[in-house]
Amino acid sequence: MMKKIALIYMGGTFGCIGDPLSPMPAVDFIPQLQHVLPLDQHIECFVAPVIQDSSACTATDWLKLVQYIQQLQLQQFQHFVIIHGTDTLSYASAILARFLGQSSYVVLTGSQYPLLNSTGDNTREFSDAIDNLNFALDTVIKAPVGVYLAFHHQLFHAQTALKIHTSELDAFTGQKAEQTAQQATQSYVVQDADIQKAASFNCLSLMMQPIDLDQQVSNLQTIAQSPPHCLILQGFGSGNLAVNDPFMACLQNLQQAGCAVVLTTQVPFGGINQHYAISQWIQQSNILLSDCAGHADLYAKALKMYLQYDAVDQWQAHWHDHG
């Protein structure tokens, strides 16, 4: 029996027209999209709950998408292809992976060039849109259960995906689907209350710079005046940071104010380790260590923790339950 695929359109460059580019209304774009779909597959097109430039997407938009997918699962859909803008495609991929787990077959894709010409009445002469879409539609019925990102004839585990070029067709990297990778296994059923709560989610990532420790402390003190729910410290190398007593006091004050502090690394690949003497301070603090596949995945994990736990000590108690 031919597997049916739910093709969900969420905007992005893929569906833009004009000069300068602007989104084509979904009601006009979907019929044009249907013209280029392969005839040998059972594909039904859907419009995502929110369509906008991906740089404007937030947690609520992606949770609405997860909820929409979970509703379609109740209608016997198990294979999903998502068309999404590339700016935050890694974040969308990580969130879908964290919240859908291995409950279905999901492939996200997008394009560096629009599908249609500037007038929107025919396909564009040069575009990666059709290739990326066809590749995603092909792989979604062949790949093992889970969430993936398909781009430029490469299929990556969604939690590991990273955009590495602003304009080249080969714009993403990550662990390829045939490689063993960290994957969330349990799904999380998104409720309306989760979407409402996510609207208030405040996550701040601080890429540490090689400046004097007094300036580092001053920056943390400024953040502590209005602390986020989660502060991500991007350290050097494998997660190294130089600290002193005032720095440690700032972290303690942030935690007491309800801010979960997470240490990660600025380096895209390899993760963190604490083999250096400069990092012995971690053993004396309650700072959380990232065990995530990348920065977007860390954001996705922090969002999920925020929805499930209200107190910092709960984050600390359950952090590694959600690897």
Side-chain angles (χ1 to χ4, degrees), residues 256-288:
Q256 290 175 347
C259 174
V261 183
V262 185
L263 177 65
T264 187
T265 171
Q266 301 173 21
V267 183
F269 301 105
I272 65 174
N273 68 65
Q274 303 302 315
H275 296 158
Y276 296 90
I278 200 171
S279 296
Q280 289 180 351
W281 62 275
I282 293 194
Q283 300 175 12
Q284 304 166 4
S285 71
N286 289 321
I287 194 170
L288 299 168

Side-chain angles (χ1 to χ4, degrees), residues 97-234:
R98 283 275 173 185
F99 283 80
L100 292 173
Q102 295 183 337
S103 64
S104 56
Y105 304 81
V106 181
V107 176
L108 295 95
T109 193
S111 66
Q112 295 285 59
Y113 295 91
L115 172 68
L116 303 176
N117 59 20
S118 60
T119 56
D121 58 3
N122 205 341
T123 54
R124 198 174 189 269
E125 185 175 344
F126 174 79
S127 175
D128 58 335
I130 292 179
D131 275 352
N132 286 346
L133 177 58
N134 286 338
F135 180 66
L137 290 169
D138 183 56
T139 55
V140 76
I141 58 175
K142 295 179 179 178
V145 66
V147 184
Y148 304 89
L149 187 154
F151 216 91
H152 196 58
H153 302 285
Q154 299 177 90
L155 189 67
F156 304 109
H157 289 284
Q159 285 181 251
T160 72
L162 173 70
K163 189 172 185 181
I164 56 172
H165 204 286
T166 57
S167 57
E168 292 290 338
L169 301 185
D170 189 7
F172 285 85
T173 190
Q175 287 184 275
K176 294 190 176 180
E178 61 267 23
Q179 297 174 310
T180 301
Q182 173 182 322
Q183 295 186 70
T185 56
Q186 299 297 318
S187 61
Y188 179 102
V189 179
V190 174
Q191 307 291 341
D192 289 343
D194 294 314
I195 297 172
Q196 293 169 3
K197 185 175 181 180
S200 301
F201 179 52
N202 189 1
C203 180
L204 177 64
S205 183
L206 181 62
M207 179 182 283
M208 308 302 285
Q209 301 299 308
I211 59 176
D212 188 85
L213 255 176
D214 289 342
Q215 301 305 319
Q216 303 278 33
V217 170
S218 177
N219 290 338
L220 288 177
Q221 289 172 338
T222 300
I223 293 170
Q225 293 174 15
S226 181
H229 299 113
C230 178
L231 174 63
I232 298 170
L233 300 179
Q234 296 183 42

